[in-house]
């Protein structure tokens, strides 16, 4: 079974559609406030490496600021024809604080 480390998000966006770039657990994430919940995805666009936290939200997708590829914030899937995706990380809320889950690297031991 894969082990997950839960990391406290020290700053979360509070407005609908607001985004924030955060380094968590050795990864650079784009944290998004979507429909009252916090979502966490990889911050680097797989097309040419743009910073997705500089993009914007449309419906439940984040739009890359460079060439406007769109990625679903729940599944990470790129729109039809893009043939790409971004990683999506699990989040949970405990006692009013948000945590993001990042798989433990096998080389860090158990
Ligand atoms: S770098 Fe994101 S769409 Fe090109």
């Amino acid at each position: 079974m894969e082990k997950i480390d839960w990391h406290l998000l020290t700053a979360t966006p509070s407005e609908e559609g607001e985004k924030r770039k955060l380094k968590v657990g050795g990864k650079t994430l784009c944290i998004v406030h979507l429909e009252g919940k916090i979502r966490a995805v990889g911050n680097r666009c797989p097309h040419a490496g743009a910073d997705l936290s500089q993009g914007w939200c449309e419906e439940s997708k984040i739009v890359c600021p460079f060439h406007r590829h769109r990625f679903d914030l729940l599944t990470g899937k790129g729109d039809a024809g893009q043939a790409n995706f971004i990683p999506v990380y699990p989040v949970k809320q405990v006692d009013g604080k948000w945590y993001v889950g990042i798989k433990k690297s096998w080389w860090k031991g158990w």
Side-chain angles (χ1 to χ4, degrees), residues 17-93:
E18 192 184 337
K19 302 164 290 350
R20 187 164 293 192
K21 178 164 69 173
L22 279 183
K23 281 207 168 197
V24 183
K27 306 213 178 271
T28 303
L29 306 182
C30 178
I31 309 297
V32 183
H33 187 115
L34 176 72
E35 295 167 354
K37 293 186 176 163
I38 296 298
R39 306 288 178 194
V41 297
N43 191 59
R44 184 181 182 279
C45 178
H47 180 234
D51 178 345
L52 288 176
S53 72
Q54 299 300 308
W56 61 93
C57 293
E58 281 177 2
E59 298 152 0
S60 61
K61 297 183 176 183
I62 190 161
V63 184
C64 178
F66 277 20
H67 315 101
R68 303 193 176 192
H69 279 206
R70 292 162 31 112
F71 302 93
D72 190 297
L73 284 163
L74 303 180
T75 66
K77 278 187 187 171
D79 273 1
Q82 291 177 195
N84 58 7
F85 67 93
I86 54 175
V88 173
Y89 298 90
V91 292
K92 66 180 181 183
Q93 193 177 26

